[in-house]
Amino acid sequence: MQPRKIAVANQKGGVGKTATTLGLASALSAAGKHVLVVDMDPQGNATTGLNVVVDENTLTSFDLMARTQEGTAADAVIATPWDRVDLIPASVALANIEADGANDLIFRLDVAFEGVDLSPYSLVLFDCPPSLGKLLFAVLCAADGVVAVTEPTIDSVRGVGNLEETIRNVVRRPNPGLTFDKIILSRRRNTGEHTYREQELREVYGDLVARTAIPELAARQDAHSAHTPIHEFRGGRAIALQLAYTDLLGELDLSVKETA
Ligand SMILES: Nc1ncnc2c1ncn2[C@@H]1O[C@H](COP(=O)(O)OP(=O)(O)OP(=O)(O)O)[C@@H](O)[C@H]1O
Ligand SMILES: [Mg+2]
């Protein structure tokens, strides 16, 4: 059985997409499941977070996007220091893809995964770049579902609306099976403003908004700098983040299958 492929997205920068991708990967790993992270951001923050260093010989997500070829994703998968977490890394070269005018560009990632046996994994997570550009479209063509990550701020309702519109456009033509799975509130602080904006999002999007919000805690950045899965990080209030990512994973109806 093939796992679900989920895009972790929002065109806004710094909202916690990479933290959520790695937090969910950490929760899956802690549960004894295998996960594949695909870094689709030229910044390569998921790659760095997983302590993987790319050199000129490393196959990356750029190679998946540079030409149309079935199955290239299998060649680019590497193991990471995190137990049960594999990665297709990113490099800065990926930024050049936005300038590629090829007609089939947005289908290349999907084609790269064609025929690839992903059955060892419980889930595939695409860490998306902060834009509504071609890379995001390519991910949305290859994915089964989208998880939007947003901070509860004044722009979040509009920002999620823009992403929703993009998803609707992709569903209309290239990928009718794509679903909008969840909106995740990230970097939540106990301020009046965050409480108000969270309420606003819940009023507009109802059950689509995950019940579990990810709190803003310094342990997230400390674990990232230490390249450590949050479920193995000791200190600060890391336990609160561990619980939040575990609960979040439970809330996402990802049809995560059991792996042997
Ligand atoms: N729950 C959290 N608590 C504290 N800091 C956080 C949390 N989540 C993310 N951060 C920090 O906020 C910054 C941005 O987070 P992250 O890189 O995950 O966002 P992003 O949406 O992936 O950004 P980009 O759009 O640049 O890819 C990072 O320094 C990260 O460590
Ligand atoms: Mg990121």
Side-chain angles (χ1 to χ4, degrees), residues 65-106:
M65 291 297 301
R67 60 189 188 285
T68 305
Q69 197 178 330
E70 263 178 48
T72 45
D75 305 327
V77 173
I78 51 175
T80 75
W82 291 21
D83 291 337
R84 294 174 288 281
V85 180
D86 286 350
L87 172 73
I88 296 180
S91 69
V92 283
L94 190 58
N96 301 327
I97 293 298
E98 291 290 345
D100 189 326
N103 287 337
D104 68 344
L105 191 78
I106 62 164

mmCIF file of all heavy atoms in Angstrom, residues 65-106:
data_model
loop_
_atom_site.group_PDB
_atom_site.id
_atom_site.type_symbol
_atom_site.label_atom_id
_atom_site.label_comp_id
_atom_site.label_asym_id
_atom_site.label_seq_id
_atom_site.Cartn_x
_atom_site.Cartn_y
_atom_site.Cartn_z
ATOM 1 N N MET A 65 13.009 18.002 -10.562
ATOM 2 C CA MET A 65 12.301 19.066 -11.278
ATOM 3 C C MET A 65 13.013 19.478 -12.569
ATOM 4 O O MET A 65 12.444 20.192 -13.387
ATOM 5 C CB MET A 65 12.190 20.312 -10.379
ATOM 6 C CG MET A 65 11.274 20.173 -9.191
ATOM 7 S SD MET A 65 9.552 19.891 -9.645
ATOM 8 C CE MET A 65 9.196 21.367 -10.621
ATOM 9 N N ALA A 66 14.259 19.056 -12.762
ATOM 10 C CA ALA A 66 15.067 19.559 -13.889
ATOM 11 C C ALA A 66 14.681 18.922 -15.215
ATOM 12 O O ALA A 66 14.915 19.497 -16.277
ATOM 13 C CB ALA A 66 16.544 19.329 -13.602
ATOM 14 N N ARG A 67 14.082 17.716 -15.165
ATOM 15 C CA ARG A 67 13.646 17.068 -16.401
ATOM 16 C C ARG A 67 12.462 16.164 -16.099
ATOM 17 O O ARG A 67 12.161 15.889 -14.937
ATOM 18 C CB ARG A 67 14.793 16.265 -17.020
ATOM 19 C CG ARG A 67 15.324 15.183 -16.128
ATOM 20 C CD ARG A 67 16.604 14.575 -16.702
ATOM 21 N NE ARG A 67 17.030 13.410 -15.951
ATOM 22 C CZ ARG A 67 17.607 13.467 -14.744
ATOM 23 N NH1 ARG A 67 17.809 14.639 -14.172
ATOM 24 N NH2 ARG A 67 17.956 12.368 -14.111
ATOM 25 N N THR A 68 11.828 15.701 -17.158
ATOM 26 C CA THR A 68 10.673 14.824 -16.960
ATOM 27 C C THR A 68 11.139 13.386 -17.082
ATOM 28 O O THR A 68 11.485 12.928 -18.176
ATOM 29 C CB THR A 68 9.608 15.127 -18.040
ATOM 30 O OG1 THR A 68 9.310 16.517 -17.961
ATOM 31 C CG2 THR A 68 8.347 14.316 -17.813
ATOM 32 N N GLN A 69 11.208 12.716 -15.980
ATOM 33 C CA GLN A 69 11.649 11.321 -16.008
ATOM 34 C C GLN A 69 11.007 10.531 -14.876
ATOM 35 O O GLN A 69 11.118 10.907 -13.708
ATOM 36 C CB GLN A 69 13.178 11.240 -15.903
ATOM 37 C CG GLN A 69 13.691 9.879 -16.335
ATOM 38 C CD GLN A 69 15.208 9.808 -16.276
ATOM 39 O OE1 GLN A 69 15.896 10.822 -16.454
ATOM 40 N NE2 GLN A 69 15.731 8.622 -16.030
ATOM 41 N N GLU A 70 10.370 9.466 -15.269
ATOM 42 C CA GLU A 70 9.682 8.616 -14.289
ATOM 43 C C GLU A 70 10.641 8.023 -13.266
ATOM 44 O O GLU A 70 11.735 7.570 -13.634
ATOM 45 C CB GLU A 70 9.032 7.433 -15.007
ATOM 46 C CG GLU A 70 7.574 7.643 -15.311
ATOM 47 C CD GLU A 70 7.004 6.459 -16.055
ATOM 48 O OE1 GLU A 70 7.230 5.315 -15.616
ATOM 49 O OE2 GLU A 70 6.352 6.698 -17.085
ATOM 50 N N GLY A 71 10.239 8.036 -12.033
ATOM 51 C CA GLY A 71 10.935 7.260 -11.005
ATOM 52 C C GLY A 71 12.199 7.858 -10.438
ATOM 53 O O GLY A 71 12.842 7.231 -9.599
ATOM 54 N N THR A 72 12.577 9.079 -10.839
ATOM 55 C CA THR A 72 13.851 9.639 -10.343
ATOM 56 C C THR A 72 13.836 9.874 -8.823
ATOM 57 O O THR A 72 14.895 9.950 -8.198
ATOM 58 C CB THR A 72 14.208 10.984 -11.012
ATOM 59 O OG1 THR A 72 13.046 11.793 -11.028
ATOM 60 C CG2 THR A 72 14.739 10.803 -12.401
ATOM 61 N N ALA A 73 12.633 9.962 -8.241
ATOM 62 C CA ALA A 73 12.547 10.197 -6.791
ATOM 63 C C ALA A 73 13.253 9.082 -6.023
ATOM 64 O O ALA A 73 13.913 9.342 -5.009
ATOM 65 C CB ALA A 73 11.086 10.303 -6.357
ATOM 66 N N ALA A 74 13.140 7.848 -6.519
ATOM 67 C CA ALA A 74 13.740 6.701 -5.813
ATOM 68 C C ALA A 74 15.254 6.878 -5.672
ATOM 69 O O ALA A 74 15.835 6.555 -4.632
ATOM 70 C CB ALA A 74 13.422 5.408 -6.547
ATOM 71 N N ASP A 75 15.889 7.419 -6.721
ATOM 72 C CA ASP A 75 17.357 7.579 -6.697
ATOM 73 C C ASP A 75 17.811 8.674 -5.736
ATOM 74 O O ASP A 75 18.979 8.691 -5.326
ATOM 75 C CB ASP A 75 17.872 7.939 -8.100
ATOM 76 C CG ASP A 75 17.419 6.925 -9.131
ATOM 77 O OD1 ASP A 75 17.311 5.739 -8.760
ATOM 78 O OD2 ASP A 75 17.150 7.323 -10.289
ATOM 79 N N ALA A 76 16.920 9.622 -5.446
ATOM 80 C CA ALA A 76 17.319 10.789 -4.655
ATOM 81 C C ALA A 76 17.081 10.608 -3.154
ATOM 82 O O ALA A 76 17.456 11.469 -2.355
ATOM 83 C CB ALA A 76 16.571 12.031 -5.154
ATOM 84 N N VAL A 77 16.465 9.493 -2.775
ATOM 85 C CA VAL A 77 16.161 9.285 -1.344
ATOM 86 C C VAL A 77 17.431 8.914 -0.579
ATOM 87 O O VAL A 77 18.179 8.034 -0.996
ATOM 88 C CB VAL A 77 15.121 8.154 -1.163
ATOM 89 C CG1 VAL A 77 14.942 7.819 0.319
ATOM 90 C CG2 VAL A 77 13.789 8.544 -1.789
ATOM 91 N N ILE A 78 17.669 9.614 0.525
ATOM 92 C CA ILE A 78 18.801 9.255 1.387
ATOM 93 C C ILE A 78 18.327 9.081 2.834
ATOM 94 O O ILE A 78 17.317 9.668 3.237
ATOM 95 C CB ILE A 78 19.933 10.318 1.354
ATOM 96 C CG1 ILE A 78 19.370 11.721 1.615
ATOM 97 C CG2 ILE A 78 20.676 10.288 0.040
ATOM 98 C CD1 ILE A 78 20.449 12.772 1.708
ATOM 99 N N ALA A 79 19.079 8.283 3.585
ATOM 100 C CA ALA A 79 18.777 8.125 5.014
ATOM 101 C C ALA A 79 19.293 9.363 5.739
ATOM 102 O O ALA A 79 20.214 10.038 5.266
ATOM 103 C CB ALA A 79 19.455 6.876 5.548
ATOM 104 N N THR A 80 18.697 9.688 6.875
ATOM 105 C CA THR A 80 19.168 10.824 7.682
ATOM 106 C C THR A 80 19.587 10.311 9.061
ATOM 107 O O THR A 80 19.293 9.161 9.402
ATOM 108 C CB THR A 80 18.039 11.877 7.882
ATOM 109 O OG1 THR A 80 17.096 11.375 8.839
ATOM 110 C CG2 THR A 80 17.340 12.212 6.581
ATOM 111 N N PRO A 81 20.237 11.148 9.856
ATOM 112 C CA PRO A 81 20.596 10.709 11.212
ATOM 113 C C PRO A 81 19.361 10.429 12.087
ATOM 114 O O PRO A 81 19.487 9.828 13.139
ATOM 115 C CB PRO A 81 21.389 11.892 11.776
ATOM 116 C CG PRO A 81 21.852 12.657 10.578
ATOM 117 C CD PRO A 81 20.808 12.464 9.535
ATOM 118 N N TRP A 82 18.196 10.903 11.698
ATOM 119 C CA TRP A 82 16.982 10.643 12.477
ATOM 120 C C TRP A 82 16.487 9.228 12.157
ATOM 121 O O TRP A 82 16.341 8.880 10.969
ATOM 122 C CB TRP A 82 15.873 11.636 12.132
ATOM 123 C CG TRP A 82 16.098 13.047 12.575
ATOM 124 C CD1 TRP A 82 17.299 13.639 12.874
ATOM 125 C CD2 TRP A 82 15.094 14.063 12.746
ATOM 126 N NE1 TRP A 82 17.103 14.952 13.218
ATOM 127 C CE2 TRP A 82 15.765 15.240 13.151
ATOM 128 C CE3 TRP A 82 13.716 14.103 12.590
ATOM 129 C CZ2 TRP A 82 15.087 16.425 13.404
ATOM 130 C CZ3 TRP A 82 13.034 15.273 12.837
ATOM 131 C CH2 TRP A 82 13.718 16.429 13.251
ATOM 132 N N ASP A 83 16.229 8.451 13.189
ATOM 133 C CA ASP A 83 15.725 7.094 12.984
ATOM 134 C C ASP A 83 14.436 7.118 12.157
ATOM 135 O O ASP A 83 13.518 7.890 12.459
ATOM 136 C CB ASP A 83 15.406 6.428 14.333
ATOM 137 C CG ASP A 83 16.667 6.141 15.133
ATOM 138 O OD1 ASP A 83 17.748 6.032 14.515
ATOM 139 O OD2 ASP A 83 16.564 6.048 16.383
ATOM 140 N N ARG A 84 14.392 6.248 11.186
ATOM 141 C CA ARG A 84 13.181 6.031 10.380
ATOM 142 C C ARG A 84 12.744 7.243 9.552
ATOM 143 O O ARG A 84 11.620 7.286 9.062
ATOM 144 C CB ARG A 84 12.002 5.554 11.256
ATOM 145 C CG ARG A 84 12.197 4.186 11.866
ATOM 146 C CD ARG A 84 11.092 3.820 12.839
ATOM 147 N NE ARG A 84 11.179 4.575 14.064
ATOM 148 C CZ ARG A 84 12.034 4.302 15.076
ATOM 149 N NH1 ARG A 84 12.828 3.264 14.991
ATOM 150 N NH2 ARG A 84 12.077 5.042 16.151
ATOM 151 N N VAL A 85 13.607 8.265 9.450
ATOM 152 C CA VAL A 85 13.265 9.430 8.629
ATOM 153 C C VAL A 85 14.214 9.500 7.438
ATOM 154 O O VAL A 85 15.427 9.659 7.603
ATOM 155 C CB VAL A 85 13.333 10.754 9.441
ATOM 156 C CG1 VAL A 85 12.978 11.939 8.553
ATOM 157 C CG2 VAL A 85 12.407 10.689 10.654
ATOM 158 N N ASP A 86 13.670 9.338 6.236
ATOM 159 C CA ASP A 86 14.444 9.492 5.001
ATOM 160 C C ASP A 86 14.142 10.851 4.383
ATOM 161 O O ASP A 86 13.155 11.503 4.733
ATOM 162 C CB ASP A 86 14.092 8.375 4.009
ATOM 163 C CG ASP A 86 14.686 7.027 4.413
ATOM 164 O OD1 ASP A 86 15.510 6.994 5.345
ATOM 165 O OD2 ASP A 86 14.315 6.013 3.794
ATOM 166 N N LEU A 87 15.010 11.245 3.464
ATOM 167 C CA LEU A 87 14.909 12.606 2.918
ATOM 168 C C LEU A 87 15.269 12.645 1.444
ATOM 169 O O LEU A 87 16.208 11.965 0.999
ATOM 170 C CB LEU A 87 15.889 13.519 3.686
ATOM 171 C CG LEU A 87 16.088 14.941 3.155
ATOM 172 C CD1 LEU A 87 14.868 15.820 3.454
ATOM 173 C CD2 LEU A 87 17.336 15.590 3.772
ATOM 174 N N ILE A 88 14.512 13.442 0.689
ATOM 175 C CA ILE A 88 15.009 13.928 -0.605
ATOM 176 C C ILE A 88 15.412 15.370 -0.323
ATOM 177 O O ILE A 88 14.557 16.225 -0.029
ATOM 178 C CB ILE A 88 13.939 13.836 -1.714
ATOM 179 C CG1 ILE A 88 13.575 12.368 -1.951
ATOM 180 C CG2 ILE A 88 14.451 14.501 -3.001
ATOM 181 C CD1 ILE A 88 12.535 12.130 -3.027
ATOM 182 N N PRO A 89 16.723 15.661 -0.313
ATOM 183 C CA PRO A 89 17.181 16.987 0.128
ATOM 184 C C PRO A 89 16.940 18.065 -0.931
ATOM 185 O O PRO A 89 16.647 17.761 -2.095
ATOM 186 C CB PRO A 89 18.677 16.770 0.350
ATOM 187 C CG PRO A 89 19.049 15.615 -0.497
ATOM 188 C CD PRO A 89 17.831 14.763 -0.686
ATOM 189 N N ALA A 90 17.110 19.311 -0.509
ATOM 190 C CA ALA A 90 17.023 20.439 -1.440
ATOM 191 C C ALA A 90 18.364 21.148 -1.500
ATOM 192 O O ALA A 90 19.165 21.070 -0.565
ATOM 193 C CB ALA A 90 15.951 21.415 -0.980
ATOM 194 N N SER A 91 18.596 21.823 -2.619
ATOM 195 C CA SER A 91 19.769 22.691 -2.722
ATOM 196 C C SER A 91 19.304 24.016 -3.310
ATOM 197 O O SER A 91 18.188 24.110 -3.848
ATOM 198 C CB SER A 91 20.824 22.061 -3.643
ATOM 199 O OG SER A 91 20.342 22.071 -4.971
ATOM 200 N N VAL A 92 20.165 25.038 -3.242
ATOM 201 C CA VAL A 92 19.784 26.364 -3.747
ATOM 202 C C VAL A 92 19.461 26.332 -5.237
ATOM 203 O O VAL A 92 18.710 27.173 -5.732
ATOM 204 C CB VAL A 92 20.875 27.433 -3.488
ATOM 205 C CG1 VAL A 92 20.867 27.879 -2.056
ATOM 206 C CG2 VAL A 92 22.249 26.946 -3.891
ATOM 207 N N ALA A 93 20.011 25.333 -5.965
ATOM 208 C CA ALA A 93 19.750 25.223 -7.408
ATOM 209 C C ALA A 93 18.248 25.162 -7.701
ATOM 210 O O ALA A 93 17.789 25.573 -8.775
ATOM 211 C CB ALA A 93 20.438 23.968 -7.960
ATOM 212 N N LEU A 94 17.485 24.690 -6.718
ATOM 213 C CA LEU A 94 16.036 24.542 -6.902
ATOM 214 C C LEU A 94 15.372 25.883 -7.236
ATOM 215 O O LEU A 94 14.334 25.925 -7.903
ATOM 216 C CB LEU A 94 15.429 23.941 -5.619
ATOM 217 C CG LEU A 94 13.976 23.470 -5.645
ATOM 218 C CD1 LEU A 94 13.740 22.405 -6.711
ATOM 219 C CD2 LEU A 94 13.561 22.937 -4.272
ATOM 220 N N ALA A 95 15.988 26.984 -6.792
ATOM 221 C CA ALA A 95 15.429 28.315 -7.057
ATOM 222 C C ALA A 95 15.364 28.603 -8.552
ATOM 223 O O ALA A 95 14.492 29.336 -9.027
ATOM 224 C CB ALA A 95 16.278 29.371 -6.345
ATOM 225 N N ASN A 96 16.274 27.988 -9.339
ATOM 226 C CA ASN A 96 16.307 28.230 -10.789
ATOM 227 C C ASN A 96 15.071 27.694 -11.499
ATOM 228 O O ASN A 96 14.748 28.117 -12.605
ATOM 229 C CB ASN A 96 17.545 27.570 -11.417
ATOM 230 C CG ASN A 96 18.823 28.104 -10.805
ATOM 231 O OD1 ASN A 96 18.869 29.279 -10.429
ATOM 232 N ND2 ASN A 96 19.842 27.251 -10.679
ATOM 233 N N ILE A 97 14.398 26.748 -10.857
ATOM 234 C CA ILE A 97 13.242 26.106 -11.481
ATOM 235 C C ILE A 97 12.117 27.094 -11.766
ATOM 236 O O ILE A 97 11.402 26.980 -12.760
ATOM 237 C CB ILE A 97 12.728 24.938 -10.587
ATOM 238 C CG1 ILE A 97 13.760 23.806 -10.539
ATOM 239 C CG2 ILE A 97 11.378 24.420 -11.056
ATOM 240 C CD1 ILE A 97 14.087 23.151 -11.866
ATOM 241 N N GLU A 98 12.003 28.110 -10.896
ATOM 242 C CA GLU A 98 10.924 29.093 -11.092
ATOM 243 C C GLU A 98 11.051 29.792 -12.456
ATOM 244 O O GLU A 98 10.074 30.273 -13.002
ATOM 245 C CB GLU A 98 10.934 30.140 -9.959
ATOM 246 C CG GLU A 98 10.532 29.592 -8.593
ATOM 247 C CD GLU A 98 9.036 29.219 -8.478
ATOM 248 O OE1 GLU A 98 8.233 29.631 -9.338
ATOM 249 O OE2 GLU A 98 8.703 28.480 -7.528
ATOM 250 N N ALA A 99 12.284 29.859 -12.997
ATOM 251 C CA ALA A 99 12.512 30.549 -14.276
ATOM 252 C C ALA A 99 12.371 29.607 -15.473
ATOM 253 O O ALA A 99 12.452 30.039 -16.621
ATOM 254 C CB ALA A 99 13.903 31.177 -14.271
ATOM 255 N N ASP A 100 12.154 28.313 -15.216
ATOM 256 C CA ASP A 100 12.030 27.331 -16.299
ATOM 257 C C ASP A 100 10.639 27.441 -16.924
ATOM 258 O O ASP A 100 9.632 27.339 -16.228
ATOM 259 C CB ASP A 100 12.250 25.919 -15.699
ATOM 260 C CG ASP A 100 12.357 24.839 -16.766
ATOM 261 O OD1 ASP A 100 11.674 24.963 -17.805
ATOM 262 O OD2 ASP A 100 13.109 23.872 -16.553
ATOM 263 N N GLY A 101 10.587 27.682 -18.203
ATOM 264 C CA GLY A 101 9.295 27.913 -18.866
ATOM 265 C C GLY A 101 8.682 26.663 -19.479
ATOM 266 O O GLY A 101 7.685 26.759 -20.209
ATOM 267 N N ALA A 102 9.249 25.499 -19.220
ATOM 268 C CA ALA A 102 8.749 24.269 -19.861
ATOM 269 C C ALA A 102 7.268 24.041 -19.529
ATOM 270 O O ALA A 102 6.828 24.275 -18.402
ATOM 271 C CB ALA A 102 9.571 23.070 -19.394
ATOM 272 N N ASN A 103 6.515 23.578 -20.537
ATOM 273 C CA ASN A 103 5.070 23.377 -20.369
ATOM 274 C C ASN A 103 4.737 22.336 -19.317
ATOM 275 O O ASN A 103 3.722 22.433 -18.638
ATOM 276 C CB ASN A 103 4.455 22.903 -21.695
ATOM 277 C CG ASN A 103 4.387 24.030 -22.694
ATOM 278 O OD1 ASN A 103 4.391 25.195 -22.305
ATOM 279 N ND2 ASN A 103 4.356 23.686 -23.968
ATOM 280 N N ASP A 104 5.598 21.332 -19.228
ATOM 281 C CA ASP A 104 5.270 20.209 -18.342
ATOM 282 C C ASP A 104 5.882 20.378 -16.945
ATOM 283 O O ASP A 104 5.841 19.453 -16.143
ATOM 284 C CB ASP A 104 5.751 18.893 -18.961
ATOM 285 C CG ASP A 104 7.272 18.816 -19.014
ATOM 286 O OD1 ASP A 104 7.918 19.880 -18.871
ATOM 287 O OD2 ASP A 104 7.807 17.723 -19.186
ATOM 288 N N LEU A 105 6.436 21.567 -16.682
ATOM 289 C CA LEU A 105 7.198 21.767 -15.440
ATOM 290 C C LEU A 105 6.441 21.317 -14.185
ATOM 291 O O LEU A 105 6.983 20.586 -13.351
ATOM 292 C CB LEU A 105 7.579 23.245 -15.300
ATOM 293 C CG LEU A 105 8.576 23.509 -14.187
ATOM 294 C CD1 LEU A 105 9.981 23.137 -14.619
ATOM 295 C CD2 LEU A 105 8.533 24.955 -13.745
ATOM 296 N N ILE A 106 5.166 21.742 -14.089
ATOM 297 C CA ILE A 106 4.447 21.479 -12.831
ATOM 298 C C ILE A 106 4.090 19.992 -12.662
ATOM 299 O O ILE A 106 3.653 19.582 -11.597
ATOM 300 C CB ILE A 106 3.190 22.364 -12.664
ATOM 301 C CG1 ILE A 106 2.173 22.085 -13.763
ATOM 302 C CG2 ILE A 106 3.566 23.837 -12.588
ATOM 303 C CD1 ILE A 106 0.789 22.642 -13.424
#
